[in-house]
Amino acid sequence: MTPPLQPLFAQRLARLRTHMAEAGLDAMLVFAPEHLRYLFNYSGEAACGLLSARSSWLVTDYRFIEQAEEECMHHEWRRGVATELLCRDRQRERLGEALGRLLADLGATRVGFEAGHVSVAQWTAISADLPGLALLPASDLLVQARRVKDAWEQQQLRQAAALADAALEALRPEIRLGRSERELATRMEQLLQSLGSEGLSFPTILGFGPRSALPHSAPSDRPLQRGDLLVLDFGAVVNGYRSDMTRSHVAGPAQPWQQRLHDTVSQAQQAALALLKPGVSGRTLNDAASAVLAASEFAAHAGPGLGHGVGLVLHEQPFLDTVCEARLRAGEVVTIEPGIYIRGQGGLRIEDDALLLDGGHEILTRAHRDFELPL
Amino acid sequence: MTPPLQPLFAQRLARLRTHMAEAGLDAMLVFAPEHLRYLFNYSGEAACGLLSARSSWLVTDYRFIEQAEEECMHHEWRRGVATELLCRDRQRERLGEALGRLLADLGATRVGFEAGHVSVAQWTAISADLPGLALLPASDLLVQARRVKDAWEQQQLRQAAALADAALEALRPEIRLGRSERELATRMEQLLQSLGSEGLSFPTILGFGPRSALPHSAPSDRPLQRGDLLVLDFGAVVNGYRSDMTRSHVAGPAQPWQQRLHDTVSQAQQAALALLKPGVSGRTLNDAASAVLAASEFAAHAGPGLGHGVGLVLHEQPFLDTVCEARLRAGEVVTIEPGIYIRGQGGLRIEDDALLLDGGHEILTRAHRDFELPL
């Protein structure tokens, strides 16, 4: 983290503290790795965060303490934003004991915790060491706070999308008949990493022919054959922020049904994009795309759901589906990814990442959309 | 899964049912992805398993149903072993409702669940749909059942270790002064995938110079300099089974303190390996290695803990530390990985995977152990 980022982190902590005050919480226990990164710039594992109105702590152990010192930069931060580090000896002190000690020092009595990010077993053990405190599920606080991305986050998401575009551009000449799903997916992952992706946004999904109808299948040894549909779903990571893009092609000239399949999905995506701006609800977007699919000959094979938020987590709020009444806001980034999946025959999905801006949106993923590959 | 594997899966289900009967459970809810793979051969996501004395179910949704049909092969299995699939419409039925329906059909009243693998929030929602049932945490059942690996699992672990050996052999000539941690770690990951690893066992750890003292740090842009210590920790995956190996080197001739550091860690590892056979406790192994470290000039910098089980999960039972009284058994696979971490100066760890056999053990990781790289 460079010094210019420190004010961003200070803003995040301040915003969280406002939400905590509104929820009547003296302190908050943070378990999700993505939230430790969001609040403290910590990208390691095996840590727990504690936030109160005036202080913040990161509790970890000897394996990650140097990384925490490097990343959290607590010494250089001014008081009130500074994150203190606690290096726990796991053989001598349970996590609940360490947290209990800190909470007692803070005089906290109403303590929120991320119920969506701690297991029943782990929480049973921790809470047994926190008698006398009101422990309140508060999973949503950080999930909601992360929905709107600040300018720096938007830039990371833009870069992740651009990196994925470049990887696909580099892969295109290598897509040849006879190469297997696994070979090409592995090659895509190598290109992503060579171009600078921090690991993968998720394991690459690549299906040929009938296997293109598996929305989330792992690549197999099936070779690409002329006339196959090809669905490729992949992403890059930049400073923890993820991209998520799907492109669908046909290997050679499209058969009429394949072309209709492509046109239907493309129109469904356009129907949603035409409405995509701050103020629209997830349900409205979903319904617009669904209406196109439902009116087509492929209605029985339409995949449910339209898309999801994307950021430090691949699938995050908001989820664009039939029950999403939430209004989208400027600064949110969502995928728009209608799909049709005909079992045993083939499927097709087109997915882009869009950043909501005042009055409209910006498409972050810009890779080619041509359907037929010249094979 | 090929037909010869079916008896192995049948044995696993039968063994689990015995453990369930001993624990007085009519049914068991399985959430951990690695346990869905272990019991049902399912390698997808977003699924929940249900096991009773006579039946087994996998509940998933449209995204993964075809994968489940491919992998679980329920149609070809004989009755009593067959896994039934339930494709839930997530917009119409909550997971708890679907599970409640199945449990009612089975007449189950005492239901175990994997408390270590379901979040507090998710379990709160599911259990609200399961009134009138005794819901009992039973995380340990599958964790313990997986400790001893059958012959097929041992073969996967052997192959994963051999694949990692081959990747390191291929990387060796590419380790040159001036190349960064990130470059070489990325190259290692490409080699692992090219050689056939299913993704990565874990993100590669590679530290040079003072950064070698970070036991679990992410690779940086620091270039390799003459005289640097270099710690490389990485692994491969074969059919879900992982390897985990660390090699430590010095770039060029070792300084005397570096050689002593290496010899100390190597002797600590040998002290543990000399005792490694069925019947020994994790604590005894840990203490043997610790005694060597504690008697050295580096005593103040010894890393705690000696190693862990490895299989479908990277870090699994048994954990070899000062409190591990469990006796090791033939068929278990553990890492033996003593380390010394001198902050600001450098660290060193040597890690191998060992399969316990009657009367002794087999080292699965066989890559070179030479300390000085000819740079």
PDB file of all heavy atoms in Angstrom, chain B residues 61-90:
ATOM      1  N   ASP B  61     -27.915 -27.571  -7.513  1.00  0.00           N
ATOM      2  CA  ASP B  61     -28.866 -26.833  -8.342  1.00  0.00           C
ATOM      3  C   ASP B  61     -28.466 -26.942  -9.811  1.00  0.00           C
ATOM      4  O   ASP B  61     -27.505 -27.634 -10.148  1.00  0.00           O
ATOM      5  CB  ASP B  61     -28.976 -25.374  -7.872  1.00  0.00           C
ATOM      6  CG  ASP B  61     -27.652 -24.646  -7.977  1.00  0.00           C
ATOM      7  OD1 ASP B  61     -27.117 -24.526  -9.095  1.00  0.00           O
ATOM      8  OD2 ASP B  61     -27.144 -24.198  -6.930  1.00  0.00           O
ATOM      9  N   TYR B  62     -29.190 -26.229 -10.662  1.00  0.00           N
ATOM     10  CA  TYR B  62     -29.035 -26.410 -12.111  1.00  0.00           C
ATOM     11  C   TYR B  62     -27.603 -26.219 -12.601  1.00  0.00           C
ATOM     12  O   TYR B  62     -27.192 -26.800 -13.601  1.00  0.00           O
ATOM     13  CB  TYR B  62     -29.973 -25.446 -12.860  1.00  0.00           C
ATOM     14  CG  TYR B  62     -29.372 -24.065 -13.087  1.00  0.00           C
ATOM     15  CD1 TYR B  62     -28.823 -23.705 -14.326  1.00  0.00           C
ATOM     16  CD2 TYR B  62     -29.323 -23.130 -12.052  1.00  0.00           C
ATOM     17  CE1 TYR B  62     -28.255 -22.452 -14.516  1.00  0.00           C
ATOM     18  CE2 TYR B  62     -28.746 -21.890 -12.235  1.00  0.00           C
ATOM     19  CZ  TYR B  62     -28.216 -21.553 -13.474  1.00  0.00           C
ATOM     20  OH  TYR B  62     -27.636 -20.323 -13.659  1.00  0.00           O
ATOM     21  N   ARG B  63     -26.830 -25.399 -11.871  1.00  0.00           N
ATOM     22  CA  ARG B  63     -25.485 -25.118 -12.349  1.00  0.00           C
ATOM     23  C   ARG B  63     -24.570 -26.341 -12.283  1.00  0.00           C
ATOM     24  O   ARG B  63     -23.601 -26.454 -13.028  1.00  0.00           O
ATOM     25  CB  ARG B  63     -24.863 -23.985 -11.518  1.00  0.00           C
ATOM     26  CG  ARG B  63     -25.575 -22.664 -11.654  1.00  0.00           C
ATOM     27  CD  ARG B  63     -25.075 -21.685 -10.612  1.00  0.00           C
ATOM     28  NE  ARG B  63     -25.331 -22.196  -9.253  1.00  0.00           N
ATOM     29  CZ  ARG B  63     -24.783 -21.693  -8.151  1.00  0.00           C
ATOM     30  NH1 ARG B  63     -23.951 -20.681  -8.237  1.00  0.00           N
ATOM     31  NH2 ARG B  63     -25.069 -22.187  -6.964  1.00  0.00           N
ATOM     32  N   PHE B  64     -24.856 -27.243 -11.340  1.00  0.00           N
ATOM     33  CA  PHE B  64     -23.937 -28.345 -11.093  1.00  0.00           C
ATOM     34  C   PHE B  64     -24.572 -29.723 -11.280  1.00  0.00           C
ATOM     35  O   PHE B  64     -23.918 -30.733 -11.035  1.00  0.00           O
ATOM     36  CB  PHE B  64     -23.351 -28.228  -9.675  1.00  0.00           C
ATOM     37  CG  PHE B  64     -22.438 -27.048  -9.534  1.00  0.00           C
ATOM     38  CD1 PHE B  64     -22.888 -25.856  -8.989  1.00  0.00           C
ATOM     39  CD2 PHE B  64     -21.125 -27.120  -9.983  1.00  0.00           C
ATOM     40  CE1 PHE B  64     -22.045 -24.764  -8.879  1.00  0.00           C
ATOM     41  CE2 PHE B  64     -20.279 -26.034  -9.868  1.00  0.00           C
ATOM     42  CZ  PHE B  64     -20.732 -24.848  -9.323  1.00  0.00           C
ATOM     43  N   ILE B  65     -25.855 -29.755 -11.712  1.00  0.00           N
ATOM     44  CA  ILE B  65     -26.530 -31.057 -11.726  1.00  0.00           C
ATOM     45  C   ILE B  65     -25.915 -32.008 -12.755  1.00  0.00           C
ATOM     46  O   ILE B  65     -25.774 -33.211 -12.492  1.00  0.00           O
ATOM     47  CB  ILE B  65     -28.060 -30.881 -11.919  1.00  0.00           C
ATOM     48  CG1 ILE B  65     -28.774 -32.194 -11.619  1.00  0.00           C
ATOM     49  CG2 ILE B  65     -28.401 -30.363 -13.308  1.00  0.00           C
ATOM     50  CD1 ILE B  65     -28.743 -32.576 -10.164  1.00  0.00           C
ATOM     51  N   GLU B  66     -25.499 -31.479 -13.914  1.00  0.00           N
ATOM     52  CA  GLU B  66     -24.922 -32.392 -14.909  1.00  0.00           C
ATOM     53  C   GLU B  66     -23.578 -32.928 -14.442  1.00  0.00           C
ATOM     54  O   GLU B  66     -23.239 -34.089 -14.651  1.00  0.00           O
ATOM     55  CB  GLU B  66     -24.770 -31.684 -16.266  1.00  0.00           C
ATOM     56  CG  GLU B  66     -26.102 -31.438 -16.934  1.00  0.00           C
ATOM     57  CD  GLU B  66     -25.965 -31.276 -18.454  1.00  0.00           C
ATOM     58  OE1 GLU B  66     -24.989 -31.784 -19.030  1.00  0.00           O
ATOM     59  OE2 GLU B  66     -26.837 -30.634 -19.045  1.00  0.00           O
ATOM     60  N   GLN B  67     -22.813 -32.050 -13.793  1.00  0.00           N
ATOM     61  CA  GLN B  67     -21.532 -32.500 -13.256  1.00  0.00           C
ATOM     62  C   GLN B  67     -21.753 -33.592 -12.206  1.00  0.00           C
ATOM     63  O   GLN B  67     -21.053 -34.604 -12.167  1.00  0.00           O
ATOM     64  CB  GLN B  67     -20.788 -31.312 -12.644  1.00  0.00           C
ATOM     65  CG  GLN B  67     -19.405 -31.687 -12.134  1.00  0.00           C
ATOM     66  CD  GLN B  67     -18.634 -30.479 -11.611  1.00  0.00           C
ATOM     67  OE1 GLN B  67     -19.095 -29.348 -11.706  1.00  0.00           O
ATOM     68  NE2 GLN B  67     -17.454 -30.737 -11.080  1.00  0.00           N
ATOM     69  N   ALA B  68     -22.760 -33.390 -11.374  1.00  0.00           N
ATOM     70  CA  ALA B  68     -23.067 -34.392 -10.340  1.00  0.00           C
ATOM     71  C   ALA B  68     -23.454 -35.718 -10.996  1.00  0.00           C
ATOM     72  O   ALA B  68     -23.041 -36.788 -10.552  1.00  0.00           O
ATOM     73  CB  ALA B  68     -24.183 -33.887  -9.434  1.00  0.00           C
ATOM     74  N   GLU B  69     -24.243 -35.640 -12.067  1.00  0.00           N
ATOM     75  CA  GLU B  69     -24.648 -36.887 -12.736  1.00  0.00           C
ATOM     76  C   GLU B  69     -23.438 -37.602 -13.313  1.00  0.00           C
ATOM     77  O   GLU B  69     -23.316 -38.819 -13.223  1.00  0.00           O
ATOM     78  CB  GLU B  69     -25.670 -36.585 -13.842  1.00  0.00           C
ATOM     79  CG  GLU B  69     -27.024 -36.206 -13.269  1.00  0.00           C
ATOM     80  CD  GLU B  69     -28.019 -35.802 -14.345  1.00  0.00           C
ATOM     81  OE1 GLU B  69     -27.672 -35.859 -15.547  1.00  0.00           O
ATOM     82  OE2 GLU B  69     -29.145 -35.420 -13.970  1.00  0.00           O
ATOM     83  N   GLU B  70     -22.527 -36.827 -13.894  1.00  0.00           N
ATOM     84  CA  GLU B  70     -21.313 -37.423 -14.461  1.00  0.00           C
ATOM     85  C   GLU B  70     -20.468 -38.070 -13.378  1.00  0.00           C
ATOM     86  O   GLU B  70     -19.966 -39.170 -13.528  1.00  0.00           O
ATOM     87  CB  GLU B  70     -20.449 -36.319 -15.105  1.00  0.00           C
ATOM     88  CG  GLU B  70     -20.479 -36.278 -16.604  1.00  0.00           C
ATOM     89  CD  GLU B  70     -19.533 -35.202 -17.143  1.00  0.00           C
ATOM     90  OE1 GLU B  70     -18.452 -34.980 -16.548  1.00  0.00           O
ATOM     91  OE2 GLU B  70     -19.894 -34.574 -18.154  1.00  0.00           O
ATOM     92  N   GLU B  71     -20.283 -37.332 -12.299  1.00  0.00           N
ATOM     93  CA  GLU B  71     -19.293 -37.772 -11.314  1.00  0.00           C
ATOM     94  C   GLU B  71     -19.829 -38.807 -10.339  1.00  0.00           C
ATOM     95  O   GLU B  71     -19.111 -39.711  -9.925  1.00  0.00           O
ATOM     96  CB  GLU B  71     -18.770 -36.558 -10.537  1.00  0.00           C
ATOM     97  CG  GLU B  71     -17.983 -35.606 -11.433  1.00  0.00           C
ATOM     98  CD  GLU B  71     -17.421 -34.412 -10.684  1.00  0.00           C
ATOM     99  OE1 GLU B  71     -17.980 -34.033  -9.626  1.00  0.00           O
ATOM    100  OE2 GLU B  71     -16.422 -33.849 -11.154  1.00  0.00           O
ATOM    101  N   CYS B  72     -21.086 -38.639  -9.930  1.00  0.00           N
ATOM    102  CA  CYS B  72     -21.593 -39.529  -8.870  1.00  0.00           C
ATOM    103  C   CYS B  72     -22.066 -40.858  -9.447  1.00  0.00           C
ATOM    104  O   CYS B  72     -22.169 -41.847  -8.733  1.00  0.00           O
ATOM    105  CB  CYS B  72     -22.708 -38.842  -8.095  1.00  0.00           C
ATOM    106  SG  CYS B  72     -22.185 -37.278  -7.391  1.00  0.00           S
ATOM    107  N   MET B  73     -22.329 -40.884 -10.741  1.00  0.00           N
ATOM    108  CA  MET B  73     -22.658 -42.141 -11.427  1.00  0.00           C
ATOM    109  C   MET B  73     -23.726 -42.934 -10.700  1.00  0.00           C
ATOM    110  O   MET B  73     -23.628 -44.153 -10.574  1.00  0.00           O
ATOM    111  CB  MET B  73     -21.395 -42.997 -11.521  1.00  0.00           C
ATOM    112  CG  MET B  73     -20.378 -42.415 -12.491  1.00  0.00           C
ATOM    113  SD  MET B  73     -18.923 -43.460 -12.641  1.00  0.00           S
ATOM    114  CE  MET B  73     -19.629 -45.072 -12.805  1.00  0.00           C
ATOM    115  N   HIS B  74     -24.741 -42.256 -10.211  1.00  0.00           N
ATOM    116  CA  HIS B  74     -25.675 -42.957  -9.332  1.00  0.00           C
ATOM    117  C   HIS B  74     -26.475 -44.027 -10.049  1.00  0.00           C
ATOM    118  O   HIS B  74     -26.904 -44.993  -9.440  1.00  0.00           O
ATOM    119  CB  HIS B  74     -26.616 -41.962  -8.662  1.00  0.00           C
ATOM    120  CG  HIS B  74     -27.446 -41.188  -9.619  1.00  0.00           C
ATOM    121  ND1 HIS B  74     -26.889 -40.360 -10.566  1.00  0.00           N
ATOM    122  CD2 HIS B  74     -28.784 -41.135  -9.791  1.00  0.00           C
ATOM    123  CE1 HIS B  74     -27.861 -39.795 -11.270  1.00  0.00           C
ATOM    124  NE2 HIS B  74     -29.017 -40.250 -10.820  1.00  0.00           N
ATOM    125  N   HIS B  75     -26.673 -43.862 -11.360  1.00  0.00           N
ATOM    126  CA  HIS B  75     -27.508 -44.842 -12.057  1.00  0.00           C
ATOM    127  C   HIS B  75     -26.843 -46.210 -12.135  1.00  0.00           C
ATOM    128  O   HIS B  75     -27.505 -47.221 -12.205  1.00  0.00           O
ATOM    129  CB  HIS B  75     -27.825 -44.356 -13.474  1.00  0.00           C
ATOM    130  CG  HIS B  75     -28.631 -43.106 -13.473  1.00  0.00           C
ATOM    131  ND1 HIS B  75     -29.845 -43.013 -12.832  1.00  0.00           N
ATOM    132  CD2 HIS B  75     -28.402 -41.888 -14.016  1.00  0.00           C
ATOM    133  CE1 HIS B  75     -30.321 -41.794 -12.982  1.00  0.00           C
ATOM    134  NE2 HIS B  75     -29.466 -41.089 -13.687  1.00  0.00           N
ATOM    135  N   GLU B  76     -25.512 -46.215 -12.128  1.00  0.00           N
ATOM    136  CA  GLU B  76     -24.815 -47.484 -12.337  1.00  0.00           C
ATOM    137  C   GLU B  76     -24.516 -48.206 -11.026  1.00  0.00           C
ATOM    138  O   GLU B  76     -23.999 -49.316 -11.026  1.00  0.00           O
ATOM    139  CB  GLU B  76     -23.507 -47.228 -13.089  1.00  0.00           C
ATOM    140  CG  GLU B  76     -23.756 -46.555 -14.425  1.00  0.00           C
ATOM    141  CD  GLU B  76     -22.467 -46.295 -15.174  1.00  0.00           C
ATOM    142  OE1 GLU B  76     -21.524 -47.082 -15.013  1.00  0.00           O
ATOM    143  OE2 GLU B  76     -22.408 -45.296 -15.906  1.00  0.00           O
ATOM    144  N   TRP B  77     -24.808 -47.543  -9.940  1.00  0.00           N
ATOM    145  CA  TRP B  77     -24.459 -48.160  -8.666  1.00  0.00           C
ATOM    146  C   TRP B  77     -25.600 -49.042  -8.185  1.00  0.00           C
ATOM    147  O   TRP B  77     -26.761 -48.785  -8.431  1.00  0.00           O
ATOM    148  CB  TRP B  77     -24.189 -47.078  -7.618  1.00  0.00           C
ATOM    149  CG  TRP B  77     -22.875 -46.394  -7.837  1.00  0.00           C
ATOM    150  CD1 TRP B  77     -22.359 -45.997  -9.017  1.00  0.00           C
ATOM    151  CD2 TRP B  77     -21.942 -46.035  -6.833  1.00  0.00           C
ATOM    152  NE1 TRP B  77     -21.140 -45.408  -8.820  1.00  0.00           N
ATOM    153  CE2 TRP B  77     -20.860 -45.415  -7.486  1.00  0.00           C
ATOM    154  CE3 TRP B  77     -21.906 -46.181  -5.442  1.00  0.00           C
ATOM    155  CZ2 TRP B  77     -19.757 -44.946  -6.792  1.00  0.00           C
ATOM    156  CZ3 TRP B  77     -20.812 -45.700  -4.755  1.00  0.00           C
ATOM    157  CH2 TRP B  77     -19.745 -45.101  -5.440  1.00  0.00           C
ATOM    158  N   ARG B  78     -25.194 -50.057  -7.444  1.00  0.00           N
ATOM    159  CA  ARG B  78     -26.250 -50.927  -6.917  1.00  0.00           C
ATOM    160  C   ARG B  78     -26.954 -50.246  -5.746  1.00  0.00           C
ATOM    161  O   ARG B  78     -26.434 -49.348  -5.120  1.00  0.00           O
ATOM    162  CB  ARG B  78     -25.681 -52.280  -6.506  1.00  0.00           C
ATOM    163  CG  ARG B  78     -24.671 -52.208  -5.388  1.00  0.00           C
ATOM    164  CD  ARG B  78     -24.054 -53.584  -5.123  1.00  0.00           C
ATOM    165  NE  ARG B  78     -22.840 -53.440  -4.333  1.00  0.00           N
ATOM    166  CZ  ARG B  78     -22.804 -53.161  -3.031  1.00  0.00           C
ATOM    167  NH1 ARG B  78     -23.917 -52.978  -2.362  1.00  0.00           N
ATOM    168  NH2 ARG B  78     -21.657 -53.045  -2.394  1.00  0.00           N
ATOM    169  N   ARG B  79     -28.144 -50.727  -5.468  1.00  0.00           N
ATOM    170  CA  ARG B  79     -28.949 -50.107  -4.420  1.00  0.00           C
ATOM    171  C   ARG B  79     -28.239 -50.170  -3.069  1.00  0.00           C
ATOM    172  O   ARG B  79     -27.559 -51.132  -2.769  1.00  0.00           O
ATOM    173  CB  ARG B  79     -30.298 -50.809  -4.291  1.00  0.00           C
ATOM    174  CG  ARG B  79     -31.422 -50.025  -4.951  1.00  0.00           C
ATOM    175  CD  ARG B  79     -32.801 -50.455  -4.484  1.00  0.00           C
ATOM    176  NE  ARG B  79     -33.365 -49.536  -3.497  1.00  0.00           N
ATOM    177  CZ  ARG B  79     -33.644 -48.264  -3.738  1.00  0.00           C
ATOM    178  NH1 ARG B  79     -33.397 -47.728  -4.901  1.00  0.00           N
ATOM    179  NH2 ARG B  79     -34.164 -47.502  -2.798  1.00  0.00           N
ATOM    180  N   GLY B  80     -28.410 -49.120  -2.296  1.00  0.00           N
ATOM    181  CA  GLY B  80     -27.766 -49.085  -0.975  1.00  0.00           C
ATOM    182  C   GLY B  80     -26.464 -48.316  -1.042  1.00  0.00           C
ATOM    183  O   GLY B  80     -25.985 -47.792  -0.055  1.00  0.00           O
ATOM    184  N   VAL B  81     -25.873 -48.266  -2.233  1.00  0.00           N
ATOM    185  CA  VAL B  81     -24.676 -47.447  -2.409  1.00  0.00           C
ATOM    186  C   VAL B  81     -25.027 -46.238  -3.267  1.00  0.00           C
ATOM    187  O   VAL B  81     -24.419 -45.200  -3.177  1.00  0.00           O
ATOM    188  CB  VAL B  81     -23.541 -48.266  -3.066  1.00  0.00           C
ATOM    189  CG1 VAL B  81     -22.311 -47.399  -3.284  1.00  0.00           C
ATOM    190  CG2 VAL B  81     -23.204 -49.458  -2.195  1.00  0.00           C
ATOM    191  N   ALA B  82     -26.060 -46.430  -4.088  1.00  0.00           N
ATOM    192  CA  ALA B  82     -26.450 -45.378  -5.022  1.00  0.00           C
ATOM    193  C   ALA B  82     -26.654 -44.042  -4.320  1.00  0.00           C
ATOM    194  O   ALA B  82     -27.269 -43.981  -3.257  1.00  0.00           O
ATOM    195  CB  ALA B  82     -27.734 -45.777  -5.725  1.00  0.00           C
ATOM    196  N   THR B  83     -26.142 -42.994  -4.924  1.00  0.00           N
ATOM    197  CA  THR B  83     -26.425 -41.641  -4.448  1.00  0.00           C
ATOM    198  C   THR B  83     -27.522 -41.040  -5.322  1.00  0.00           C
ATOM    199  O   THR B  83     -27.413 -41.029  -6.542  1.00  0.00           O
ATOM    200  CB  THR B  83     -25.160 -40.766  -4.551  1.00  0.00           C
ATOM    201  OG1 THR B  83     -24.179 -41.296  -3.674  1.00  0.00           O
ATOM    202  CG2 THR B  83     -25.473 -39.332  -4.162  1.00  0.00           C
ATOM    203  N   GLU B  84     -28.576 -40.581  -4.685  1.00  0.00           N
ATOM    204  CA  GLU B  84     -29.648 -39.914  -5.418  1.00  0.00           C
ATOM    205  C   GLU B  84     -29.294 -38.446  -5.526  1.00  0.00           C
ATOM    206  O   GLU B  84     -28.679 -37.874  -4.628  1.00  0.00           O
ATOM    207  CB  GLU B  84     -30.976 -40.044  -4.656  1.00  0.00           C
ATOM    208  CG  GLU B  84     -31.336 -41.451  -4.235  1.00  0.00           C
ATOM    209  CD  GLU B  84     -31.900 -42.266  -5.373  1.00  0.00           C
ATOM    210  OE1 GLU B  84     -32.340 -41.653  -6.387  1.00  0.00           O
ATOM    211  OE2 GLU B  84     -31.887 -43.498  -5.267  1.00  0.00           O
ATOM    212  N   LEU B  85     -29.729 -37.846  -6.620  1.00  0.00           N
ATOM    213  CA  LEU B  85     -29.467 -36.418  -6.814  1.00  0.00           C
ATOM    214  C   LEU B  85     -30.750 -35.620  -6.702  1.00  0.00           C
ATOM    215  O   LEU B  85     -31.803 -36.041  -7.203  1.00  0.00           O
ATOM    216  CB  LEU B  85     -28.859 -36.184  -8.199  1.00  0.00           C
ATOM    217  CG  LEU B  85     -27.531 -36.891  -8.462  1.00  0.00           C
ATOM    218  CD1 LEU B  85     -27.040 -36.564  -9.855  1.00  0.00           C
ATOM    219  CD2 LEU B  85     -26.483 -36.501  -7.423  1.00  0.00           C
ATOM    220  N   LEU B  86     -30.671 -34.478  -6.034  1.00  0.00           N
ATOM    221  CA  LEU B  86     -31.814 -33.567  -5.970  1.00  0.00           C
ATOM    222  C   LEU B  86     -31.371 -32.213  -6.534  1.00  0.00           C
ATOM    223  O   LEU B  86     -30.427 -31.607  -6.034  1.00  0.00           O
ATOM    224  CB  LEU B  86     -32.280 -33.398  -4.521  1.00  0.00           C
ATOM    225  CG  LEU B  86     -33.421 -32.391  -4.320  1.00  0.00           C
ATOM    226  CD1 LEU B  86     -34.701 -32.871  -4.995  1.00  0.00           C
ATOM    227  CD2 LEU B  86     -33.696 -32.174  -2.834  1.00  0.00           C
ATOM    228  N   CYS B  87     -32.044 -31.796  -7.603  1.00  0.00           N
ATOM    229  CA  CYS B  87     -31.725 -30.505  -8.223  1.00  0.00           C
ATOM    230  C   CYS B  87     -32.710 -29.466  -7.691  1.00  0.00           C
ATOM    231  O   CYS B  87     -33.878 -29.448  -8.053  1.00  0.00           O
ATOM    232  CB  CYS B  87     -31.835 -30.621  -9.750  1.00  0.00           C
ATOM    233  SG  CYS B  87     -31.373 -29.094 -10.594  1.00  0.00           S
ATOM    234  N   ARG B  88     -32.230 -28.627  -6.806  1.00  0.00           N
ATOM    235  CA  ARG B  88     -33.115 -27.679  -6.131  1.00  0.00           C
ATOM    236  C   ARG B  88     -33.241 -26.398  -6.946  1.00  0.00           C
ATOM    237  O   ARG B  88     -32.267 -25.876  -7.456  1.00  0.00           O
ATOM    238  CB  ARG B  88     -32.517 -27.353  -4.751  1.00  0.00           C
ATOM    239  CG  ARG B  88     -33.312 -26.353  -3.945  1.00  0.00           C
ATOM    240  CD  ARG B  88     -32.750 -26.235  -2.537  1.00  0.00           C
ATOM    241  NE  ARG B  88     -31.423 -25.657  -2.509  1.00  0.00           N
ATOM    242  CZ  ARG B  88     -31.168 -24.355  -2.322  1.00  0.00           C
ATOM    243  NH1 ARG B  88     -32.171 -23.504  -2.148  1.00  0.00           N
ATOM    244  NH2 ARG B  88     -29.942 -23.903  -2.305  1.00  0.00           N
ATOM    245  N   ASP B  89     -34.458 -25.890  -7.029  1.00  0.00           N
ATOM    246  CA  ASP B  89     -34.703 -24.574  -7.631  1.00  0.00           C
ATOM    247  C   ASP B  89     -34.501 -23.539  -6.520  1.00  0.00           C
ATOM    248  O   ASP B  89     -35.348 -23.369  -5.640  1.00  0.00           O
ATOM    249  CB  ASP B  89     -36.121 -24.509  -8.193  1.00  0.00           C
ATOM    250  CG  ASP B  89     -36.399 -23.159  -8.871  1.00  0.00           C
ATOM    251  OD1 ASP B  89     -35.695 -22.175  -8.566  1.00  0.00           O
ATOM    252  OD2 ASP B  89     -37.326 -23.103  -9.687  1.00  0.00           O
ATOM    253  N   ARG B  90     -33.388 -22.839  -6.574  1.00  0.00           N
ATOM    254  CA  ARG B  90     -33.019 -21.944  -5.470  1.00  0.00           C
ATOM    255  C   ARG B  90     -33.982 -20.798  -5.276  1.00  0.00           C
ATOM    256  O   ARG B  90     -34.039 -20.182  -4.215  1.00  0.00           O
ATOM    257  CB  ARG B  90     -31.603 -21.385  -5.710  1.00  0.00           C
ATOM    258  CG  ARG B  90     -30.529 -22.435  -5.596  1.00  0.00           C
ATOM    259  CD  ARG B  90     -29.163 -21.831  -5.822  1.00  0.00           C
ATOM    260  NE  ARG B  90     -29.051 -21.237  -7.144  1.00  0.00           N
ATOM    261  CZ  ARG B  90     -28.142 -20.333  -7.492  1.00  0.00           C
ATOM    262  NH1 ARG B  90     -27.285 -19.895  -6.592  1.00  0.00           N
ATOM    263  NH2 ARG B  90     -28.096 -19.858  -8.722  1.00  0.00           N
TER     264      ARG B  90
END
